Amino acid sequence: MATTLFQDLDTVRYEGQDSKNELAYRWYDSDKVVLGKPLHEHLRFAVAYWHSLAMNGSDPFGAPTIHRPWMNRSDAMPAAKEKADAAFELFRVLDLPFYTFHDRDIAPEADDLRGSLKNFHEIVDYLAKKMESSKTELLWGTANLFSHPRFMAGAATNPDPDVFAYSATTVKHCMDATKLLGGDNYVLWGGREGYETLLNTDVGHEMDQAGRLLSLVVEYKHAIGFKGQILIEPKPKEPTAHQYDFDTATVFGFLKKYGLENEVKVNLEANHALLAGHTFEHEIAMAGAFGILGSLDVNRGDPLLGWDTDQFPNDLWDTTLAMYHVIQAGGLGKGGMNFDAKVRRQSFEPEDLVFAHVGAVDLCAQAFLKAADLIEGKDLSKLVDERYAGWKTPEAEAMLAGKVTLADIAKASEEKNLNPQPKSGKQERLENLVARKLY
Amino acid sequence: MATTLFQDLDTVRYEGQDSKNELAYRWYDSDKVVLGKPLHEHLRFAVAYWHSLAMNGSDPFGAPTIHRPWMNRSDAMPAAKEKADAAFELFRVLDLPFYTFHDRDIAPEADDLRGSLKNFHEIVDYLAKKMESSKTELLWGTANLFSHPRFMAGAATNPDPDVFAYSATTVKHCMDATKLLGGDNYVLWGGREGYETLLNTDVGHEMDQAGRLLSLVVEYKHAIGFKGQILIEPKPKEPTAHQYDFDTATVFGFLKKYGLENEVKVNLEANHALLAGHTFEHEIAMAGAFGILGSLDVNRGDPLLGWDTDQFPNDLWDTTLAMYHVIQAGGLGKGGMNFDAKVRRQSFEPEDLVFAHVGAVDLCAQAFLKAADLIEGKDLSKLVDERYAGWKTPEAEAMLAGKVTLADIAKASEEKNLNPQPKSGKQERLENLVARKLY
Amino acid sequence: MATTLFQDLDTVRYEGQDSKNELAYRWYDSDKVVLGKPLHEHLRFAVAYWHSLAMNGSDPFGAPTIHRPWMNRSDAMPAAKEKADAAFELFRVLDLPFYTFHDRDIAPEADDLRGSLKNFHEIVDYLAKKMESSKTELLWGTANLFSHPRFMAGAATNPDPDVFAYSATTVKHCMDATKLLGGDNYVLWGGREGYETLLNTDVGHEMDQAGRLLSLVVEYKHAIGFKGQILIEPKPKEPTAHQYDFDTATVFGFLKKYGLENEVKVNLEANHALLAGHTFEHEIAMAGAFGILGSLDVNRGDPLLGWDTDQFPNDLWDTTLAMYHVIQAGGLGKGGMNFDAKVRRQSFEPEDLVFAHVGAVDLCAQAFLKAADLIEGKDLSKLVDERYAGWKTPEAEAMLAGKVTLADIAKASEEKNLNPQPKSGKQERLENLVARKLY
Amino acid sequence: MATTLFQDLDTVRYEGQDSKNELAYRWYDSDKVVLGKPLHEHLRFAVAYWHSLAMNGSDPFGAPTIHRPWMNRSDAMPAAKEKADAAFELFRVLDLPFYTFHDRDIAPEADDLRGSLKNFHEIVDYLAKKMESSKTELLWGTANLFSHPRFMAGAATNPDPDVFAYSATTVKHCMDATKLLGGDNYVLWGGREGYETLLNTDVGHEMDQAGRLLSLVVEYKHAIGFKGQILIEPKPKEPTAHQYDFDTATVFGFLKKYGLENEVKVNLEANHALLAGHTFEHEIAMAGAFGILGSLDVNRGDPLLGWDTDQFPNDLWDTTLAMYHVIQAGGLGKGGMNFDAKVRRQSFEPEDLVFAHVGAVDLCAQAFLKAADLIEGKDLSKLVDERYAGWKTPEAEAMLAGKVTLADIAKASEEKNLNPQPKSGKQERLENLVARKLY
């Protein structure tokens, strides 16, 4: 193996909050036990091959700024192996337990379908071998069904059934690979499953197409005995003008429509939540309420910019509330926290990638510890429980359980001449409680 | 009956496109037959009591500018009757077939629940009497469960079950009144069914509360033999930071969750679509695809402003596409098109209200005629049908119908070494086709 | 003096970071010296009469929820005095050095102009008397030229010159009062100085009107010997569709156009920055660069909501960066930090108002201390200075100073065959530095 | 000359409104005289080399879909000439009077500065030759100072003065070329003149750098006797998080700050206006009021998407209002209307490019004719003039001219006990007037 980009970098270690080392963890003490489990089992951090190995810093107005040794090579397969070597060095440097990939992140497209599949499986085997001597496991695999022009009008939702078949074929192989590599989840992100203009689109037909692919995936999962979770990653728009997997609530309706709500969960991303007009904690809380919280793509967007900036997270308040709702929802199970984040295009040095991850890992760890503290101290939940306490009376429970009719309720209310009085929502006081915990 | 505000205004008449009369309809020839029915049966326009009789021009930084004779009166019930008289004069002036109301639009709140219900029914009876001599019928009734401070933390979703009971009681009476007045629909808009901050909110509990109220409503509808439609009006935010009925897709998931998707439809508003990040035609197309398109609140928002401006519509392109998708979805049935729009606060003269409606009625009529023309000429649908034509082959139909597995598809695709080629989406050409039809 | 709403509340005291008292300051140690001055001289906090005494919790869909003893009284002048008594009790409870007001916050509108001015001056005299026995001084006064319907089409920019004259008259008296009460600044916020629709608007004429009023104000300031600052408060929209004082850069251009850039500064608000598409620190940094930073309205908006939510600030990151740029710009001088923030409408209890201020005061104090620490440690500035170090060479300085022509530069560059190389912007590393300082 | 992509396409001709030919103009009768000049002199349409010859359909999630014969060639200079041949064929097909380019659109970057300049001038000479036999002239030239990684942290505003010098050199040559080719304007768009994060940025220094470059450009213009206009193209954000040329008002302040307001005008783009939170007509009206309206980049954005979609315009209402304000501002002079718009990435066929331009040209022509009609009929201006009529009295004129003081105005107002009454703004009526003109 040749020298990789990250080979000279030391492994990042936990050194505690007093450390002045910019490349040490101050909060991510992976074995620290909280809420009955070590941090690494709660957080299950993953490095994203997509952003950390494959991004080149281009933007709609600018050429690549990030030039890695494996990019733009005519010998694509050796380059892919070199990239894999670098990837595992990066995993070693960051000392994180998981990674994630799209098929196209790890292996190059070939001239035809068969060639592309061959490339893919060759690299999958290479990764399998590398994993033998690495501590880093696979959180999830997925198929890139959006970059190639054949997907420009959709993958599963393409007006051309051949593109559907091509996509299905690709997904089949990506599921096989994910199983082979011991992945805990298989993800579907529908970047092109939407429309540019309704003028040329039949949304009902396209949703049925998407529903069919998802059903095929679920059936295949059982057929091959894949024990991981199937996850849909919602995003409202970008690259298309509208995507069918708009947000958690929309995906829930979609799953119900096709009878898949017990088979599929969501992989939620902070920046996608923002683009849909939601906070990250909202999406997590909703997924918790629907019973479909699967995994997280941890990053941040810029509320002043209308596109997916995919920045590394740095906001303790938002991240703590996200963690709080993850805990409230019972945790992520087989899911994890994937750093679906990229360094800025001006941050083209390998070291920038390490700075970025160190900051994000530490932020999430600190946020989780703060959230656990809020949970254990019941600071918030005590006030929330008091607020809904009225619903614990037998009359209220009966009403909520559907044991009385609208006419019954009206009769009783009129007899009592009901006159409910407002109670303060105490929002500022609750915000102070959180602030004092965090800052 | 005393002189009303609108008594001296002439009834607005259809005079054709060459009319120079600013207070005549140029496109709304109500008896003109198109797509097999007269325009008035397609469009079923309604005047909104809420906006046209009850708004006073205040905004968050400004006091009322619109002072009608029935406002701010100490003799609230005579004032409410005077308002009703004016309302029916306005309906006469505009010559439109329907109106809509909230309980609080027509009758004043009293000191207690029983008194408020008494006020309400007294005015309902007064309206019933007025309707005997009017051509204008009731499109829908609804309850205002958001203005009074008791609803500040929600109506059905209030942490206090007494507010739920109060709300249920109010809805029961509003449904009775709607049935009595021959209304075709009963609408629920959850303006406070959401949250200001997740810090004090249990979203799962609150959604169950909302689901319960809706189930009670559906059961009561059947119990009393109300033949109209039950409609939910989605809105993503404002007044709260998040509302559970975010958009059509979210409402569909909600209905599925509580098993109500065959009982309840949506009343879609253009400005609410905008606030959710959608076009109006998107919401209509989605409702059509889900089979839950019920009725429309016709208005427009301002994409540069982040609140519900509720302006009268004036965009022919957008309105034509909305009408196009209404027709594609099979029309509105018992629903209609309610002008949920208010004059600007500087437009405080009674005449401004008439100008506003004349423009909006004409725009919708013109848009409907253009949309019908697009449908009949198949200008768009021909290209769309061609685009999806591949799905008509037996193989594609089998694939979509779930008759083959993922492995089958992969095997066949690999054998064929599938290589689907992009086809132009022709968006600009389709836009030109629409532009030439409209302008 | 009768019992006021806040009379039973204890004065909030600094108790240090270990305090568990929810109504104590943990960071706001007002006499603590940092960067050479006590905190209270840096921060100059003010309580806003507008939000804290005059807001009633109404919103566009809801009636008032906040009922104070002085509201909705038929005896308006005694009520105004009772309100003033309560205000000074609140100032005493919060122990903050300043307050701010609009004329209409403190005194009721009368039936005519003369009566309104009489009311105003009577209450100003009452406030003057109260200030004799209070530690709280006046940060700024202003005129409410937006609530009354006469201003619906603008104050200075109204198409009716009588409204201009009415506005000018009101401003004259408010300036007199501000001087009398020892105010340090006079503020103009142009809530109606904009347009609803360009269809009825002559923007050039209206900007000249606004420029004229501002010139009159500046001349009058000098005429009466008012030593305070004249401030414009930018806001891009809401209540109107467009306001002429869109943001700092726009105001700077406006001041230059009318030759007032050395006479007038800006009063910047966080939520207004957000509505203009900016961060608060951006606006502060720009005002610093233009030399027009005057004062701050400290609050926060919700990036997911499109209106002025005017919430109390709670984000340490954003507030620290705001403070950082205030310090970089040389501080606020005669300006200060006004809590232009209101409790949520569900937070209707007097205590909520205190919780809100305690949290905000502490946040700002903590943020200022962190910012001072960043400044003193040069953590950020060291890297920034290095980044621009190239501009310190004589050649670069000459180029920036305009001592060479475009042709000269081209000639030299071509001779050198210049090939500048990218340098990492280190954004993630800098974010980590800030995070480690804050959390 | 080899066969070009567009060689087989017929020249698009004006055929009148009854034409069914999808590739004919129905409204753009270029010699039709309106407001005293032929349409082509008012509109001065330009084809953009950037979008129409150089775009490849890639987006942040997708590879190129548009493959033209001149793209990705190892023989870059012959390819550039072939591209020029195709460009002039496209101009011939569209029969439009102008084109526009960036240096990098027409000529490839070489290995070093000197080589790049050599390539550029060689192609400029080639274009000069082609122009001899073409009717299409140059509306403007500009330099691409944003795509190459050297500009990632800014061009004029780069922390590295060598990048400033490199940029200045490039601009010098682009100005030379523009003059040589008879261009009527020289444009500067500061796509990277902004910041990604304030943490590493000195905004004051960077604005001074930008001011310096602009001063150098103006001086050079006079030095070489270039008679065209110098134009800045505002854009608020994208690619950076903030750009210094945010919008018209910001640019006006910038010009005033550096004393360039009589030397430089703005090139306004519809989509950029939208990203800044403005309508296109707002930006045009503001530029008119500031006296800096220079030229237009005609396109449209999608208000539901937060990035520069650069779509071809299709909205008659918006475009008519834009044209209305162009006429009100006295027209564009040496400026024109550049189609800064690109076909969707699914519209990869050459024909799509023609459809797109035909629709846009016709829309603008129709809009201009409608706007001229509104102007000539004084439909709107009559009502606007009435609205401001009060300012024509001697007293009002004196007040606006600064002939009275604030104290004078107050005295007179109090004596009169002024009580101005609201007047309806008639927005809905005015909208109806426009609608009836357009639809």
Side-chain angles (χ1 to χ4, degrees), chain B residues 72-182:
Chain B
N72 298 313
R73 292 255 293 267
S74 54
D75 58 333
M77 286 299 286
K81 288 175 187 170
E82 199 173 308
K83 187 183 192 179
D85 295 342
F88 278 79
E89 275 299 320
L90 180 63
F91 306 157
R92 192 264 309 154
V93 170
L94 297 174
D95 197 26
L96 298 178
F98 291 99
Y99 75 108
T100 63
F101 69 77
H102 298 79
D103 55 346
R104 278 298 77 76
D105 303 341
I106 60 168
E109 180 103 17
D111 289 339
D112 60 13
L113 172 59
R114 287 187 215 154
S116 295
L117 293 172
K118 185 166 167 297
N119 281 355
F120 176 61
H121 286 297
E122 183 176 333
I123 299 294
V124 167
D125 291 341
Y126 189 80
L127 294 178
K129 205 156 174 75
K130 294 205 71 79
M131 288 173 72
E132 287 172 15
S133 58
S134 165
K135 293 192 301 184
T136 301
E137 298 179 89
L138 181 64
L139 184 63
W140 48 255
T142 189
N144 177 332
L145 303 177
F146 48 89
S147 293
H148 193 280
R150 77 173 64 85
F151 304 120
M152 74 180 191
T157 63
N158 203 291
D160 179 353
D162 278 359
V163 179
F164 180 99
Y166 192 104
S167 304
T169 302
T170 304
V171 169
K172 186 257 178 202
H173 286 275
C174 287
M175 290 179 72
D176 292 343
T178 300
K179 179 165 183 269
L180 179 82
L181 295 172

Side-chain angles (χ1 to χ4, degrees), chain A residues 51 54-68 71 342-348, chain D residues 147 149 152 192:
Chain A
H51 278 306
M55 285 296 107
N56 64 15
S58 67
D59 72 17
F61 296 88
T65 56
I66 297 175
H67 305 284
R68 305 299 189 211
M71 291 177 173
K342 61 184 177 193
V343 290
R344 301 303 83 200
R345 76 190 286 266
Q346 294 187 40
S347 302
F348 58 87
Chain D
S147 293
M152 74 180 190
R192 302 279 173 199

Side-chain angles (χ1 to χ4, degrees), chain C residues 391 394-404, chain D residues 164 208 212 216 219:
Chain C
W391 285 98
E395 295 76 13
E397 284 184 336
M399 188 163 64
L400 188 55
K403 299 186 175 156
V404 289
Chain D
F164 180 99
D208 284 347
R212 173 51 50 208
L216 290 169
E219 291 157 16

Side-chain angles (χ1 to χ4, degrees), chain B residues 317-372:
Chain B
W317 184 285
D318 292 352
T319 310
T320 300
L321 291 187
M323 298 294 169
Y324 184 85
H325 286 285
V326 165
I327 300 171
Q328 291 280 67
L332 295 174
K334 292 196 166 189
M337 299 188 188
N338 177 46
F339 291 112
D340 198 51
K342 61 185 177 194
V343 289
R344 301 303 83 199
R345 76 190 287 266
Q346 293 187 40
S347 302
F348 58 86
E349 293 176 1
E351 197 188 45
D352 290 315
L353 209 47
V354 182
F355 277 121
H357 278 89
V358 167
V361 163
D362 245 15
L363 180 88
C364 291
Q366 184 180 11
F368 190 87
L369 293 169
K370 298 287 188 184

